[in-house]
Amino acid sequence: MIRISPVLRRRRKQAFISLMMLMLCTTSYAGQTMDDSLTPTGAILQGSDDGQIPDWVSDKTVADELHQQLDKDTPLFVINGSNYQKYQAHLTAGQVALFELYPETFEMPIYQSKRLHHIPQWLEEATRKNQKDAELIDDGNGITNVWPGVPFPTPENALEILWNHLIAWRSISAKGTFVEATIHPEQRHYLIKTEVEIAMPYYQPDRVPVTDNIILTYYLTRITSPARIAGGATLVHDSMNPKMGQRQSWIYNVSQRRVRRLPFLGYDTPNMNSDDIRVVDEVNLFNGSPDRYNWKSNGRKTLYIPYNSKVLAQSTSDIESLLTPYHLNTAPTRYELHRVWELEATLKEKQHHIYARRKLYLDEDSWMALIAEQYDQSDALWRVSLSHTQYMPDMPGVMKVADVFHDLNSKSYYVQSLIEDNGRWIEFSNKLPEKSHFNPVSLKRRSTR
């Protein structure tokens, strides 16, 4: 009788699960290996045949120089309410809806595309290891055997593509100041200013591959204005594998002067600062467990997406000038033609969420979702989200400038924007803070400083 070792049995079981996931998730290609035709993150290195999408800029020094010159660029043309049909092949349904809803004001300035995204060398090496080692578990709702890099640089199905977004590189640790505002037609608005700190233990460079569960992200916010809510704080510990450990959240309530543990914070829990325009799992356009939806990949598309938003970032020093009725002031925005992955999520039977269907459009270079579309229970397009990002040479990598969430029914929008505060833009660190820094016990002490 031939005895099969436990290790071999485990590998066979994992291979069977991977095969089942592949059958359940639509895929545009399978099993491509990391080679000279791909960038270090798994994107196609070569540009488009017509030259509109350029080759990836492999020399970081050149990429940094191009980034410095972005504010000198001028648009190639502008898409608006009178000509969007001409470019509709490269627009999403959500973008078309914005042109049709705001034909006199919504515009997309189109610039020459530039692919500048770079990541640290150690992250490149970890990504190559993940191409061989990383695996889905728990029906695609978790991952294992992952090094601190892109988990699936050559994805074989929709869930692997989604996990690349969920764990997209956003630095080891960073802190900055954000402003939030909800803009309703013909109503006054107010700004909420918040200090934000994030840390990603997943991206600790010297760690061993994760085979169980770790904290994916620590997220700490403290409101600094307006005065009536200043001092309030939120702390979140986000788990890498939700079924092994749920997200944990705490708030410091200024009026009660105490720290309180929140019930589970996720899915379609409303974000009160947004007047319920955005829900919790729309942070980064989508976050948290994917388990309530069936996911499929519609393959790669070529679309005009928000990109290289350096000028918009510079404009946030005068945030009020950006908060025009119905949508952001479009003058400092920038759109470019790029390849994206299109993911579609359909709500599972017996599961609840206010969005019955969703679409995400992921930049092929950074794996970040830059456009999202949310559909209601009658499958009507309800909300459209745009994420404006820019390449950050000091990181290096891509960081959001502003996320904008449009409600098509109310003609309102919610924006969360990183701003310059007292001469400081954003501070990156290659070292994780001590765990005690993100301890709920110390939340009150830091909030009352």
Side-chain angles (χ1 to χ4, degrees), residues 10 13-18 21 133-146 151-152 157 159-160 163 210-214 239-245 289-291 348:
R10 177 175 174 273
K13 180 179 179 181
Q14 290 172 336
F16 176 75
I17 293 173
S18 296
M21 292 306 304
D133 297 344
E135 301 171 279
L136 293 173
I137 57 173
D138 292 331
D139 298 325
N141 297 305
I143 55 177
T144 190
N145 295 333
V146 284
F152 303 106
N157 56 64
L159 284 167
E160 289 187 351
W163 273 101
V210 176
T211 56
D212 46 21
N213 191 36
I214 60 171
S239 169
M240 187 180 78
N241 288 321
K243 288 194 174 181
M244 295 184 184
S289 175
D291 64 344
K348 294 178 179 177

Side-chain angles (χ1 to χ4, degrees), residues 167-180:
I167 302 187
W169 165 243
R170 295 179 175 88
S171 80
I172 297 175
S173 178
K175 55 185 176 181
T177 301
F178 281 81
V179 160
E180 301 169 75

Side-chain angles (χ1 to χ4, degrees), residues 39 62 71 83 116 152 206 238 302 306 313 325-326 328 429 432 438:
T39 72
V62 175
D71 52 358
N83 67 1
L116 310 180
F152 303 106
D206 57 354
D238 216 1
T302 302
Y326 308 119
L328 281 187
S429 174
L432 282 173
F438 297 103

Side-chain angles (χ1 to χ4, degrees), residues 268 276-279 282 293 347 352-357 375-377 382-383:
D268 54 0
D276 297 345
I277 289 176
R278 193 200 75 185
V279 297
E282 289 179 280
Y293 290 91
L347 192 64
H352 172 78
H353 200 288
I354 63 170
Y355 302 139
R357 187 163 65 94
Y375 292 77
D376 64 17
Q377 300 303 314
W382 180 9
R383 291 170 174 169

Side-chain angles (χ1 to χ4, degrees), residues 162-390:
L162 179 64
W163 273 101
N164 289 344
H165 161 72
L166 294 174
I167 302 187
W169 165 243
R170 295 179 175 88
S171 80
I172 297 175
S173 178
K175 55 185 176 181
T177 301
F178 281 81
V179 160
E180 301 169 75
T182 303
I183 312 299
H184 297 291
E186 301 178 358
Q187 290 185 25
R188 294 185 61 185
H189 65 268
Y190 62 90
L191 303 179
I192 300 175
K193 192 184 228 182
T194 307
E195 293 177 350
V196 177
E197 295 182 59
I198 61 169
M200 296 190 72
Y202 174 89
Y203 280 111
Q204 188 166 346
D206 57 354
R207 71 164 176 79
V208 297
V210 176
T211 56
D212 46 21
N213 191 36
I214 60 171
I215 297 295
L216 171 63
T217 307
Y218 292 109
Y219 184 73
L220 174 63
T221 70
R222 186 174 72 90
I223 297 173
T224 58
S225 68
R228 62 184 176 82
I229 56 174
T234 303
L235 173 65
V236 177
H237 292 182
D238 216 1
S239 169
M240 187 180 78
N241 288 321
K243 288 194 174 181
M244 295 184 184
Q246 280 195 336
R247 174 182 292 160
Q248 296 179 305
S249 308
W250 300 262
I251 61 168
Y252 172 68
N253 188 298
V254 180
S255 60
Q256 298 176 356
R257 296 186 178 182
R258 70 184 182 94
V259 175
R260 182 166 61 90
R261 173 78 178 272
L262 294 175
F264 178 70
L265 188 66
Y267 300 114
D268 54 0
T269 304
N271 178 332
M272 291 181 291
N273 289 350
S274 73
D275 288 353
D276 297 345
I277 289 176
R278 193 200 75 185
V279 297
V280 168
D281 71 6
E282 289 179 280
V283 174
N284 299 326
L285 303 200
F286 184 84
N287 76 93
S289 175
D291 64 344
R292 292 192 179 182
Y293 290 91
N294 291 314
W295 294 85
K296 72 173 182 176
S297 167
N298 294 329
R300 280 191 175 98
K301 310 288 184 182
T302 302
L303 298 175
Y304 292 114
I305 57 176
Y307 222 83
N308 285 321
S309 301
K310 180 182 179 182
V311 174
L312 179 63
Q314 293 171 335
S315 303
T316 61
S317 57
D318 182 15
I319 191 70
E320 286 287 0
S321 69
L322 296 178
L323 303 180
T324 52
Y326 308 119
H327 50 74
L328 281 187
N329 181 348
T330 61
T333 62
R334 177 176 179 136
Y335 292 79
E336 299 179 0
L337 191 66
H338 286 271
R339 287 184 294 253
V340 302
W341 288 98
E342 181 185 306
L343 293 181
E344 186 169 354
T346 305
L347 192 64
K348 294 178 179 177
E349 290 186 10
K350 299 181 180 179
Q351 292 286 0
H352 172 78
H353 200 288
I354 63 170
Y355 302 139
R357 187 163 65 94
R358 317 168 79 143
K359 282 190 175 183
L360 298 176
Y361 300 88
L362 279 58
D363 168 37
E364 72 160 342
D365 286 320
S366 68
W367 293 105
M368 288 186 176
L370 300 186
I371 301 177
E373 296 163 352
Q374 290 75 231
Y375 292 77
D376 64 17
Q377 300 303 314
S378 63
D379 204 35
L381 181 59
W382 180 9
R383 291 170 174 169
V384 180
S385 309
L386 303 175
S387 183
H388 301 265
T389 63
Q390 71 163 329

Side-chain angles (χ1 to χ4, degrees), residues 1-13:
M1 180 177 179
I2 299 176
R3 293 182 176 274
I4 300 176
S5 71
V7 173
L8 183 57
R9 282 200 298 269
R10 177 175 174 273
R11 290 186 180 277
R12 287 183 174 180
K13 180 179 179 181

